[in-house]
Amino acid sequence: MTVEQAKMDARKWMAQADGVMAATYKRTPVVFSRGSGCTLWDTEGRSYLDFVAGIAVCNLGHAHPAVSNALSEQARTLVHVSNLYYTIPQTELASWLVDHSFGDKVFFCNSGAEANEAAIKLARKYFKDRAEPDRYRIISMIQSFHGRTLGTLSATGQDKIKQGFSPILEGFDFVPFNDIQAIRDKISVSTCAILLEPVQGEGGIRSADPEFLQEVRRLCDETGTLLIFDEIQTGIGRTGKLFAYEHFGIEPDIMTLAKALANGLPIGAMLAKESVAAAFVPGSHASTFGGTPLVTAVSLCVLKTLDQEDIIGHCAEVGRYFKERLVELKSRHDSVVDVRGLGLLLGMELNTDGLPLVQACLEKGFVINCVQGNTLRFVPPLIVQKAEIDRLIHCLDGIL
Ligand SMILES: *Cc1c(COP(=O)(O)O)cnc(C)c1O
């Protein structure tokens, strides 16, 4: 195929997609067809360095041989049977998560939103069982993001996510992130839980202050309120620790995971302490596909690979390097107003619209993304090398 034909072919696919797909995404005009490590190729054969990783999903990069092998081997063995029965990969994955976290019990589902739905239901049921039926309200943070189902968009602290879907679920109170006094003012006898992301992702890559989280934990202990961490974006090594809560010297009572848990296969998980998880009994909650042998075998392989190759240690190291290089850019360019984040969950806030930069990077062979209109988000595979980071920094320097 000539270059001209390949271009026309790509345009044809994009037009066809726009004709038949619900218009829920404003897509960047590129058709990706293949990936390996941190590199993606489009249908025209152009290569790109990927600093999005499917939005903090493909932590081991694309087509990682161990992951591909685990996937094809399990696909030939057993894909699905239903949670009416026991399977080994699901049991092994749950055991791994319990062994490596504060959690005692795991519930599997298929997405981040579903994991948060499970957490909200568990927090409500926990107090129903303790004969406190009116204790159902959840304090959530302004600028948070917890998902797109009716329950989780109701828990999300951004009006634009809720627009057009009223009436939304009742029972959520919102306070500014990192404002302990606002939580003290809002918490009441009807509060069952406090829900937050240790680092807000979609909200602009904003970290919790350690003192804030420690105070939140203390307040929860004093009042018997449950603490729920949404680690859907921050979990699985992204911040340079397996879970972001490890940075803060505290533990939640409930934690939700998804995104990177199976490197791109759909999976969600909710972990909880024993005493809390006990509120879920047969019939309380369920998921047909939750934790199939296929996704859990892949997830187990992902977690073991992270461990064996010390990829989280690598993430912490290159994340520090990446952040330093972004801070250098800030010192050279007035349009950069802030650099934030932990590990390889990094954001660079601009005083202008970020989309033209995303577009310009794409034309130069770099995939990056933008949140909140003006904050570039960098969430590459955790295996990214310093030389690849240097190439992106050079490109951004030129464009800025
Ligand atoms: C992506 C994300 C979600 C939603 O996950 P889905 O799999 O898209 O439902 C929820 N919370 C956070 C923090 C996220 O980053």
Side-chain angles (χ1 to χ4, degrees):
M1 209 187 306
T2 67
V3 175
E4 227 10 77
Q5 282 171 327
K7 253 196 186 66
M8 274 174 52
D9 200 47
R11 273 201 291 268
K12 192 198 80 190
W13 283 116
M14 290 189 270
Q16 184 171 337
D18 290 342
V20 294
M21 300 284 300
T24 52
Y25 282 87
K26 184 167 169 29
R27 290 175 204 264
T28 304
V30 58
V31 186
F32 287 122
S33 55
R34 190 162 63 86
S36 176
C38 295
T39 305
L40 284 169
W41 284 268
D42 69 12
T43 50
E44 297 165 49
R46 289 194 61 202
S47 70
Y48 302 79
L49 269 180
D50 183 9
F51 284 82
V52 172
I55 314 186
V57 166
C58 307
N59 281 7
L60 294 177
H62 301 283
H64 189 288
V67 178
S68 302
N69 283 341
L71 176 56
S72 55
E73 192 176 312
Q74 189 61 43
R76 284 191 297 268
T77 308
L78 185 67
V79 170
H80 174 79
V81 284
S82 155
N83 287 313
L84 295 170
Y85 313 100
Y86 294 93
T87 68
I88 294 170
Q90 182 182 86
T91 310
E92 287 190 323
L93 178 60
S95 300
W96 196 99
L97 290 170
V98 165
D99 288 347
H100 289 79
S101 76
F102 73 94
D104 301 308
K105 290 284 165 70
V106 184
F107 173 82
F108 287 117
C109 49
N110 312 287
S111 67
E114 278 181 58
N116 283 336
E117 287 281 343
I120 295 166
K121 286 179 73 174
L122 181 64
R124 286 187 170 191
K125 178 113 184 339
Y126 175 80
F127 286 104
K128 295 283 187 291
D129 289 0
R130 292 163 68 100
E132 294 185 70
D134 298 330
R135 196 166 173 180
Y136 65 87
R137 303 194 69 82
I138 295 179
I139 295 177
S140 177
M141 306 298 128
I142 292 169
Q143 286 291 92
S144 59
F145 180 77
H146 298 298
R148 300 288 196 150
T149 60
L150 268 175
T152 58
L153 74 79
S154 304
T156 291
Q158 302 183 54
D159 288 341
K160 66 176 187 203
I161 306 274
K162 304 177 188 187
Q163 218 78 112
F165 300 115
S166 63
I168 62 169
L169 188 65
E170 203 261 328
F172 295 92
D173 298 309
F174 296 92
V175 296
F177 194 38
N178 281 329
D179 185 343
I180 190 70
Q181 193 53 46
I183 296 186
R184 286 208 187 94
D185 293 346
K186 192 70 86 177
I187 200 165
S188 75
V189 288
S190 54
T191 303
C192 71
I194 297 174
L195 166 64
L196 59 86
E197 301 151 85
V199 182
Q200 289 187 340
E202 308 300 315
I205 326 293
R206 293 177 193 279
S207 285
D209 297 331
E211 311 80 63
F212 168 74
L213 280 195
Q214 284 151 15
E215 273 306 304
V216 170
R217 179 70 267 179
R218 204 164 304 135
L219 193 58
C220 285
D221 290 340
E222 276 168 19
T223 55
T225 306
L226 298 174
L227 181 55
I228 307 172
F229 279 0
D230 176 342
E231 291 232 23
I232 288 162
Q233 191 156 157
T234 56
I236 323 301
R238 174 58 55 189
T239 66
K241 303 260 189 203
L242 180 58
F243 304 115
Y245 73 78
E246 298 169 31
H247 289 284
F248 300 95
I250 52 148
E251 292 177 346
D253 303 298
I254 301 174
M255 172 172 72
T256 52
L257 301 173
K259 287 198 164 78
L261 189 51
N263 211 59
L265 266 71
I267 184 172
M270 181 200 61
L271 278 65
K273 289 187 179 152
E274 179 86 57
S275 59
V276 180
F280 270 2
V281 295
S284 299
H285 196 42
S287 169
T288 296
F289 293 124
T292 62
L294 186 74
V295 291
T296 51
V298 170
S299 175
L300 194 62
C301 165
V302 167
L303 295 171
K304 286 182 173 170
T305 306
L306 283 175
D307 236 8
Q308 282 158 9
E309 299 179 9
D310 189 28
I311 286 164
I312 298 177
H314 173 82
C315 164
E317 190 199 325
V318 298
R320 268 193 300 275
Y321 176 76
F322 197 168
K323 195 172 180 180
E324 281 166 20
R325 305 277 344 242
L326 291 172
V327 169
E328 273 170 43
L329 283 183
K330 175 173 178 282
S331 70
R332 281 206 295 281
H333 300 280
D334 291 342
S335 50
V336 180
V337 295
D338 198 16
V339 172
R340 296 187 290 266
L342 266 179
L344 284 169
L345 176 55
L346 295 172
M348 185 166 85
E349 186 179 334
L350 308 171
N351 63 10
T352 58
D353 183 12
L355 262 183
L357 251 111
V358 171
Q359 190 55 40
C361 281
L362 190 81
E363 278 157 24
K364 296 207 174 325
F366 296 89
V367 182
I368 66 166
N369 149 271
C370 178
V371 292
Q372 300 297 321
N374 66 351
T375 301
L376 302 182
R377 170 169 56 184
F378 307 104
V379 282
L382 306 188
I383 57 170
V384 71
Q385 298 296 318
K386 285 182 184 172
E388 293 167 324
I389 293 167
D390 289 342
R391 284 169 57 193
L392 174 72
I393 295 287
H394 181 73
C395 166
L396 286 169
D397 204 14
I399 295 169
L400 285 166

